[in-house]
Amino acid sequence: MGQGTEFGLVDLEDVDSPGDEWEEIDVSDTEADRIARKRDREFEQFEERIKDAEQFKVEQSVFDDATFAALYKLVQDGYVEAFGGPLSTGKEANVYHALGDDREVAVKIYRINASNFRQMRDYLEGDPRFEGLGGKKKDVVLAWTKKELANLRRAQAAGVRVPEPLATERNVLVMEYIGTDDGRAKRLGEVHIENPQTAYEVMREYMRRLYSAGLIHGDLSEYNVVFDESEGQLVLIDLGQAVTVHHPNSREFLERDCRNVAGYFSRQGLEVTEDDLLEFVTSPEPDPSRN
């Protein structure tokens, strides 16, 4: 990154930062579940086309019938028109490049069978939006997908630069593609920063805005931040695990985020500490994570 790069913050004009109120999230069966149960010829043809696409490298752990139905529904609704290759593959989800109605999008598909079920439950339990969530693995993964959409929307409303969330269907999330024609945006840990002080100030401001909106990222490090070359901005990603300030482990997660971020920028030559970062993020009072 060059010295003159602008690490711009999201403009706070017209930002209606949410407070401590919580949106209701419906985790009941979706249209994709109904499509999967009542198969028709068009759906079956769509499923075969996807299975035949080399870039999907279909695995049972990623694509069950209902996942195909979720993709089918998103295509019907106009969120996805054509699929490209994979952007990333992981233990919990695969992310694919795709073309939307008039823009490039990223399609994140959570694995129903292979996701870290126990860890997901740890992050969901204590979240007021998911009280009474059942113990089935499918329900937990579907709730997690809805949670990431809601967290992205809340972060965006608070003035934090995140991929714009577009839609979810079952275990599939469609969001803004951050990258160039050459591929996905590079993570902060993959680039050289010539102005780490400015980048640090942006990061800590993002963390404070999240906190003011009642959210803690919960897994923040240089590997969950990417650099958008087109806008010259840092972008927070992977908000699926972000918890509310009322989560029983919220303080532990926040302190870990501060430790990771301060540690990274310390390695870039800045004199920063996790305690100073924590104080900045949690001001002004009151500090909701102490309740």
Side-chain angles (χ1 to χ4, degrees), residues 48-234:
E48 285 304 314
R49 286 199 304 272
I50 296 295
K51 283 183 178 180
D52 290 340
E54 173 62 23
Q55 65 265 36
F56 277 90
K57 298 180 180 178
V58 173
E59 303 172 13
Q60 188 61 34
S61 63
V62 182
F63 296 94
D64 57 11
D65 285 346
T67 298
F68 283 118
L71 293 170
Y72 179 67
K73 182 66 166 56
L74 289 164
V75 169
Q76 285 185 321
D77 291 344
Y79 290 107
V80 178
E81 289 189 354
F83 292 97
L87 296 172
S88 66
T89 57
K91 294 180 180 178
E92 294 182 347
N94 287 1
V95 182
Y96 296 92
H97 190 200
L99 180 65
D101 184 23
D102 58 354
R103 62 194 299 183
E104 293 176 279
V105 297
V107 179
K108 189 172 189 176
I109 304 175
Y110 278 102
R111 290 174 162 87
I112 296 293
N113 296 324
S115 293
N116 191 331
F117 171 73
R118 291 183 181 276
Q119 187 178 46
M120 284 183 169
R121 283 209 63 89
D122 289 343
Y123 282 96
L124 287 168
E125 289 177 351
D127 189 319
R129 298 170 293 181
F130 297 98
E131 292 180 358
L133 180 68
K136 293 181 180 179
K137 176 174 281 193
K138 184 200 79 169
D139 293 339
V140 170
V141 175
L142 302 195
W144 186 273
T145 311
K146 294 284 184 70
K147 178 171 178 267
E148 182 161 12
L149 179 77
N151 288 344
L152 288 169
R153 285 175 173 167
R154 181 167 286 264
Q156 188 176 49
V160 177
R161 182 67 174 96
V162 295
E164 179 186 356
L166 300 174
T168 58
E169 187 65 46
R170 204 172 180 271
N171 58 319
V172 181
L173 169 65
V174 182
M175 55 190 162
E176 173 190 5
Y177 168 69
I178 308 292
T180 67
D181 292 339
D182 296 327
R184 65 166 178 82
K186 293 186 180 297
R187 300 177 190 273
L188 190 59
E190 298 174 330
V191 298
H192 173 67
I193 302 179
E194 294 186 11
N195 192 354
Q197 182 64 44
T198 303
Y200 173 68
E201 290 172 2
V202 171
M203 283 290 296
R204 71 175 189 168
E205 180 64 25
Y206 279 176
M207 293 174 70
R208 181 156 71 172
R209 291 183 185 182
L210 271 183
Y211 187 80
S212 297
L215 281 181
I216 294 163
H217 187 284
D219 191 29
L220 191 57
S221 73
E222 64 269 27
Y223 300 106
N224 282 326
V225 183
V226 299
F227 176 61
D228 183 357
E229 293 183 23
S230 64
E231 297 181 354
Q233 287 188 334
L234 298 178

Side-chain angles (χ1 to χ4, degrees), residues 9-17 155-161 205-206 208-209:
L9 292 168
V10 174
D11 190 353
L12 277 183
E13 292 183 8
D14 300 326
V15 167
D16 182 19
S17 183
Q156 188 176 49
V160 177
R161 182 67 174 96
E205 180 64 25
Y206 279 176
R208 181 156 71 172
R209 291 183 185 182

